[in-house]
Amino acid sequence: MIQFDLKINKRRALIVIIAAISVMVIDSTIVKYIAFSNKEYPAPVYVSIFVTLAVLFVGIIIVLLGFVKRKDTESGLKRGLSVKTTYLITAVTQLLLVSMMIIIIQPTTALKSYNTLSLLVLVFISHIIALFFLIMLVLTLVDSIMAKGDKILSLYTISFSLTAIAIMTSLIYATYVLSNQPSNIRPLSIHNSFIGLPRAEVAIYFGPALDIISILSFISVWIASAVMMNTYSRRIGKIRYWTIISIPLIYFLFPFEKNVVDIFQSLLVSSPVLYGVLNVTIFSATKQIGALFFSLVFLAASTLVTKHEMQKYLLISAIGIAVLYGSIEIETLLFATYPPFGVVTASFIPMGAYLVFTGILRSATLVVRDSELRKEFYNTAKSQLNLLKTIGVTEMEKELIKKYKSIDKRTRSLKEDSRFEKDEMREALHGLVDEMDKEKVRDILHDVLTEVYSKSRTETKPGV
């Protein structure tokens, strides 16, 4: 799995996104559909479906690791993490998750009991690794916001932060519920799995909390996505544009109307089975459809650049967004059905977090290191690139400040005159200024130099 290497393109990325979303939708809704439809099937049928979903999961994960696989080991990420290190962490994590699936599948194929502990271990591994990558990403984005405030960057940071909180809350919730499940889950019908669930009392607290966090996270990333794709409003008109992009938001929020208006109350009373089937059939993929919409921002951005390496990581970001926001669904797993549907969806979470982390930060790093790519970005007015522009420019500013401070330290130790200091600074900036249009970097350099020289003058004042 670790040695697999596959070239990524837009078509393949879209196929993988659709495949992953389809697997997650089936895995997370099949239990609810059966429960509301009053239909029941033999246990071997459920086991066959579960094994099929697990096999598809393994295939998708192998392809995703193949997309990211790199031959070089250069440090392209932040906080001491390299592309190779994060790749190995993710590969090992996925191997562990697949191993846990095999431990679960092995007894279920013989219609024997499986151990609940295996579910707990799987949930713990998937959620902790996802939290690790999201926290690293949020900390890096916060650094960029502190250096150069940006609304889009702030919205994504808020959404990723809320997503991390949702994952942590889900982990606590799942740990409590699964710990109170029987140690061994025997072959039972889906309907029997709903009897005597040890989750009603905690659901009163965790359920609304997860709903609120999910709504806030969804809205923040929806706003950021809408703004970043605002370029298309000039093509199709503002009214049509906002009408189209509002569909995923309305679709996601509509199931929550029962907490406010509950317009289908009469249908629920008169025909609860029909209400349940319609509700599951129509609104079973709210998170996944939203995740697909969020990924379109990065899919569209990949068509605006010509550098293959940048296209690669933009497409990786697109897949990551779709997988991450589509997999945060713990509800089905808590039922501990036979077999344990929901396991496959939960196993996607760390891969989604890893792809978002690697895709966004690696793309921003390429902006800093590739002069031709910087020219391409600054010559492109498309709003889809604004996020990476902001992160990339922030990193450029940091590098300029680091270079200046290094030069400043050397010149102070040599006790040379200020002219030498300015000549060295000019030399350090000369390459960057030549690479880009001076009009387009004037503001960046002006802000950086103003800050650095003002600090320098303050430090040299007597008595300070």
Side-chain angles (χ1 to χ4, degrees):
M1 182 183 291
I2 296 178
Q3 298 299 321
F4 187 72
D5 198 350
L6 180 66
K7 184 176 181 180
I8 188 173
N9 56 44
K10 187 176 180 180
R11 180 183 177 185
R12 289 176 176 175
L14 190 57
I15 291 174
V16 171
I17 289 174
I18 293 174
I21 286 177
S22 299
V23 170
M24 288 185 284
V25 169
I26 296 172
D27 180 59
S28 61
T29 60
I30 186 171
V31 170
K32 298 175 185 177
Y33 178 82
I34 293 171
F36 283 113
S37 66
N38 283 330
K39 292 182 179 180
E40 196 68 68
Y41 300 94
V45 174
Y46 297 143
V47 172
S48 299
I49 296 174
F50 179 74
V51 172
T52 301
L53 293 174
V55 171
L56 290 173
F57 166 80
V58 173
I60 292 171
I61 292 301
I62 290 175
V63 171
L64 291 177
L65 289 175
F67 284 160
V68 186
K69 178 63 180 173
R70 292 177 54 84
K71 295 180 180 179
D72 59 73
T73 59
E74 62 176 294
S75 177
L77 303 176
K78 302 298 176 186
R79 303 184 182 277
L81 295 174
S82 66
V83 174
K84 180 180 179 180
T85 300
T86 54
Y87 180 89
L88 289 176
I89 291 173
T90 304
V92 171
T93 299
Q94 296 304 322
L95 285 173
L96 290 175
L97 293 177
V98 171
S99 298
M100 296 310 302
M101 285 188 186
I102 293 174
I103 292 175
I104 294 171
I105 290 173
Q106 191 274 327
T108 58
T109 54
L111 298 182
K112 296 180 180 180
S113 302
Y114 70 86
N115 198 303
T116 311
L117 180 62
S118 57
L119 296 184
L120 275 169
V121 174
L122 186 145
V123 170
F124 186 82
I125 293 173
S126 64
H127 284 59
I128 290 298
I129 297 301
L131 275 174
F132 168 74
F133 284 120
L134 281 178
I135 291 173
M136 292 296 102
L137 175 59
V138 168
L139 291 176
T140 303
L141 295 181
V142 168
D143 288 343
S144 298
I145 293 174
M146 296 295 290
K148 188 178 181 67
D150 182 82
K151 293 180 180 179
I152 301 298
L153 191 59
S154 299
L155 286 170
Y156 270 105
T157 304
I158 291 172
S159 181
F160 291 141
S161 300
L162 290 171
T163 302
I165 294 173
I167 291 174
M168 175 61 74
T169 306
S170 297
L171 177 59
I172 298 172
Y173 188 17
T175 300
Y176 177 86
V177 173
L178 294 177
S179 297
N180 287 278
Q181 290 278 10
S183 59
N184 292 294
I185 305 298
R186 298 180 293 106
L188 295 172
S189 66
I190 297 296
H191 290 88
N192 286 335
S193 299
F194 287 83
I195 300 175
L197 286 176
R199 56 185 294 276
E201 54 186 40
V202 292
I204 297 175
Y205 304 102
F206 282 98
L210 285 172
D211 287 343
I212 292 172
I213 295 170
S214 177
I215 291 173
L216 293 176
S217 176
F218 190 97
I219 291 176
S220 60
V221 74
W222 178 86
I223 295 173
S225 301
V227 174
M228 289 182 69
M229 297 183 69
N230 192 47
T231 305
Y232 294 101
S233 65
R234 302 189 188 100
R235 298 183 185 180
I236 63 176
K238 290 186 177 181
I239 296 178
R240 184 179 298 178
Y241 171 75
W242 286 104
T243 300
I244 293 174
I245 66 168
S246 295
I247 294 175
L249 179 63
I250 295 172
Y251 180 63
F252 175 79
L253 294 176
F254 194 82
F256 296 101
E257 62 83 27
K258 61 185 177 182
N259 299 322
V260 181
V261 181
D262 199 3
I263 60 177
F264 295 109
Q265 176 65 27
S266 58
L267 178 62
L268 175 61
V269 174
S270 62
S271 183
V273 174
L274 177 61
Y275 169 82
V277 172
L278 289 176
N279 186 64
V280 173
T281 303
I282 298 175
F283 299 107
S284 61
T286 54
K287 291 184 178 180
Q288 288 78 19
I289 295 299
L292 177 60
F293 169 71
F294 302 151
S295 70
L296 294 179
V297 175
F298 294 93
L299 286 173
S302 69
T303 64
L304 302 176
V305 294
T306 57
K307 293 279 185 176
H308 172 70
E309 195 75 356
M310 176 58 78
Q311 289 178 344
K312 169 183 175 178
Y313 284 103
L314 286 172
L315 292 174
I316 287 173
S317 300
I319 299 173
I321 289 286
V323 172
L324 176 63
Y325 284 94
S327 61
I328 305 177
E329 173 60 66
I330 198 69
E331 187 73 15
T332 302
L333 181 60
L334 300 183
F335 294 124
T337 58
Y338 190 95
F341 289 106
V343 162
V344 173
T345 300
S347 299
F348 271 112
I349 299 177
M351 177 56 75
Y354 163 69
L355 294 177
V356 172
F357 173 80
T358 300
I360 292 179
L361 296 190
R362 183 61 183 163
S363 298
T365 301
L366 291 175
V367 175
V368 178
R369 296 183 177 182
D370 194 322
S371 61
E372 292 298 322
L373 188 59
R374 287 199 297 271
K375 289 181 182 179
E376 190 173 354
F377 264 51
Y378 275 95
N379 289 328
T380 302
K382 301 294 186 181
S383 55
Q384 292 95 319
L385 300 176
N386 285 344
L387 176 66
L388 299 180
K389 282 181 183 178
T390 301
I391 301 175
V393 167
T394 301
E395 293 304 317
M396 289 164 61
E397 292 177 354
K398 289 180 180 179
E399 287 197 7
L400 289 174
I401 293 174
K402 286 181 181 178
K403 288 180 180 179
Y404 173 80
K405 288 182 177 179
S406 176
I407 294 169
D408 180 67
K409 185 177 180 180
R410 292 202 307 269
T411 55
R412 287 179 185 279
S413 63
L414 294 174
K415 296 183 179 181
E416 294 289 341
D417 58 24
S418 60
R419 180 177 181 79
F420 175 79
E421 180 180 308
K422 293 178 182 178
D423 289 342
E424 285 289 332
M425 187 62 191
R426 185 183 299 110
E427 181 181 348
L429 300 175
H430 185 269
L432 178 60
V433 175
D434 284 346
E435 290 167 359
M436 301 168 62
D437 186 354
K438 295 179 181 179
E439 291 294 326
K440 294 176 181 177
V441 299
R442 179 179 295 168
D443 291 339
I444 299 174
L445 298 180
H446 177 270
D447 292 342
V448 174
L449 293 175
T450 299
E451 178 184 355
V452 174
Y453 277 108
S454 64
K455 288 182 179 179
S456 178
R457 287 197 299 271
T458 301
E459 291 173 356
T460 56
K461 284 182 180 181
V464 179

